[in-house]
Amino acid sequence: MVASLLLFVLPFTIVVYQLIVEIDSDSDFARQEMQGSQYLRPLHSLLVSLPQRSSPAALDQQFEQIASVERQFGDTLGTADLYANLQADWQMQQPI
């Protein structure tokens, strides 16, 4: 009787564990998707503003918004190098 109980419980336990791991993985992915969406909003706004030759003050404000989301989500999304390149390019474009 104990052997038959183990034959049922052990596979059931393994399947439930795998299900929990999969659900946790999916929730991490969904969380990163939402963070990525929040990160892209100020980037999109900046990309729309650049061809319109918006004022430097408006562009600086948009860069501040990007810096804010970088501080908030940069580690999770792994965007530190890309943000550093964007910031360096922007500073090179600024008049001295």
Side-chain angles (χ1 to χ4, degrees):
M1 180 161 167
V2 173
S4 63
L5 184 61
L6 283 176
L7 286 175
F8 173 72
V9 171
L10 187 61
F12 181 73
T13 304
I14 291 171
V15 168
V16 169
Y17 174 76
Q18 290 174 337
L19 178 64
I20 291 170
V21 167
E22 185 66 29
I23 289 170
D24 189 46
S25 174
D26 288 347
S27 73
D28 287 342
F29 180 77
R31 187 178 306 106
Q32 285 184 332
E33 284 285 322
M34 290 172 33
Q35 291 173 349
S37 177
Q38 288 177 338
Y39 196 102
L40 288 174
R41 286 183 192 121
L43 285 173
H44 178 264
S45 178
L46 175 67
L47 289 175
V48 168
S49 297
L50 283 173
Q52 297 173 355
R53 301 193 183 269
S54 297
S55 72
L59 294 175
D60 285 337
Q61 181 182 13
Q62 289 173 338
F63 269 95
E64 283 301 317
Q65 291 173 346
I66 295 169
S68 175
V69 293
E70 174 63 29
R71 286 189 297 274
Q72 191 174 5
F73 303 122
D75 289 338
T76 304
L77 298 175
T79 56
D81 291 338
L82 295 171
Y83 174 72
N85 290 340
L86 178 66
Q87 191 175 31
D89 288 347
W90 174 246
Q91 290 176 353
M92 287 177 44
Q93 300 299 320
Q94 298 304 307
I96 298 175

